[in-house]
Amino acid sequence: MSAPEHIVPEHLVFVTGKLAHARLEKVAATLPPERYAWSIADAGVKVAALMTEEIIKRRVTMPEGATRIVLPGRCRANPEALARHFGLPVERGPDEIVDLPAYLGLSGRKVDLSRHDLRIFSEIVDASKMTADQVLAKGLDLARRGADVIDLGGLPDTPFPHLEECVRALKQAGLRVSVDSFSLDELTRGARAGADYLLSLNEETLDLAFETDAVPVLVPMRPDDLPSLDRAIERMERAGRPYMADPILEPIHFGFVDSIARYRDTRARWPNIEMMMGTGNLTELTEADSLGVTALLVGMCSELAIRNVLIVQVSNHTRRTVEEHDAARRVMYAAKEDAALPKGYGRDLLALHDKRPFVQTSDEIAALAAEVRDPNYRIAVAEDGIHVYNRDIHRTGTDAMAFFPDLSVESDGAHAFYLGGELTKAETAFRLSKRYVQDEPLDWGCAADRTQEDTTAFKAAGPTKPSKTKSAHTQHSGPEASEAARAAATPPEQDAEPPQTETGRGSDEARDALSEAKGGRIVCGRLVPDDGSNGDRS
């Protein structure tokens, strides 16, 4: 038997700045040597986020044998342009160094959340009270959020004379439509207008399923009457027609546990049929954050191969239920494909807390603070609280407002406003054990929209103000804040010194970063390009 072939480890080159070098080296040393050799290329700037393509091209040399280049997640350089320059694959890594092993796939799986097998029916419960135009607008919005089928809900004792108009409007917009009603007349009218699905038919109303091409959803006569559902299923099976079966999910204290058992029993008796679960009876009728409830129910659907859910978002606390179901179905599908627990598949299902909230220790923050040579304030969060530091001070606490007396910004309103906002955000992150990154929004998972941005360009400055005079400059802080920046009559950038970077005032690094970014400035500690506007980001 021949000896096993020796596998040469991949040689990664991590491009970084001076302040992150030691931490990156510490994390890189934990990478398995049989899989990865590594080098750290220091671009000569202190803050990796301020690196530009030109700085990297000019200052970084690739070591012999390098196979892949990894940039910091917040670096604004264009990976494709750098790949052409160095002749090697270049990619943007994670925002935080501590996430590097997971980014490299050392958790044992590659996360792919692009797939799912769960169809979301999103009900417009008061469609009969809305105009056709309003129903169409609502349907398009639900589809944008992740709904696959728009369900038109009929209300008892409420006429729905424009049902056909609503169905046709949604269909003409390219949407799939279901009609949900206790009225056999409304179901018939919806089917004739072109509805794709009918919710819900039982064994007494099942004849309608043979008069239309719409796919019926079958339900028992009463939630506890599974034999009636079985009889309806048997009839559809004999006819060879498509259908779904829904044993009916009931609310907590009104049969919830028994209804879960009925889903399991139905799946055991009918292992290959299509099924539906209406999750709204739990999310809407339980005053608890709906994301965890949704994750649990979608997990049950995944185990039982239930590939359709009917959701409702009426209560204010369920206003993101479409997005929650969409995120949950992707996580559960990926975990099931991997035969794994639904852990390590991103942060979409974590709204209040983060799995690894603190990316730096107090000692690491203290070491960074000792390197600071300028008056700009940095804010970080660790297990012991909020850290605020510049070259003059390093304070730690848990109350955002308690920092104010130490910051010397009483006469700099714009900077005080900025620091108050950032410190309040940091306090929220600390109390909830969430990740905090200065100048970035908190990540609320799928519970809130994320800001989409171009990761190859610097952050845009704020909107131009109607007057020619900008707001007070917020990049400078502490006792030496520029008097010119406080003068309302003088635009703060007019006679300003070169913008500061982490290395200090007017350094070569600052000038390089600005010139190679084709003009720019530091606003609240962030390098932004000069777009010719009169606004700056506060």
Side-chain angles (χ1 to χ4, degrees), residues 253-269:
H253 297 149
F254 290 86
F256 169 63
V257 173
D258 287 342
S259 66
I260 290 295
R262 289 195 290 270
Y263 279 94
R264 180 201 60 196
D265 294 344
T266 300
R267 174 54 75 204
R269 289 196 302 277

Side-chain angles (χ1 to χ4, degrees), residues 6 36 51 99 161 170 213 305 320 338 402 429 483 516 518:
H6 178 66
Y36 298 111
M51 295 187 300
D99 296 327
L170 292 169
D213 292 331
R320 299 281 296 189
D338 292 338
E483 292 297 326
E516 292 167 9
K518 299 181 179 178

Side-chain angles (χ1 to χ4, degrees), residues 201-219:
L201 300 180
N202 56 43
E203 65 175 339
E204 292 185 354
T205 59
L206 193 53
D207 286 345
L208 178 59
F210 298 89
E211 301 172 6
T212 174
D213 292 331
V215 176
V217 176
L218 311 181
V219 296

Side-chain angles (χ1 to χ4, degrees), residues 178-234:
S178 61
V179 175
D180 188 353
S181 177
F182 291 110
S183 166
L184 191 60
D185 175 65
E186 288 182 349
L187 291 175
T188 302
R189 290 167 50 209
R192 290 173 179 170
D196 301 280
Y197 305 91
L198 298 179
L199 283 67
S200 301
L201 300 180
N202 56 43
E203 65 175 339
E204 292 185 354
T205 59
L206 193 53
D207 286 345
L208 178 59
F210 298 89
E211 301 172 6
T212 174
D213 292 331
V215 176
V217 176
L218 311 181
V219 296
M221 294 293 294
R222 299 184 314 277
D224 61 350
D225 185 7
L226 274 189
S228 68
L229 178 60
D230 287 335
R231 290 190 292 270
I233 292 173
E234 289 169 352

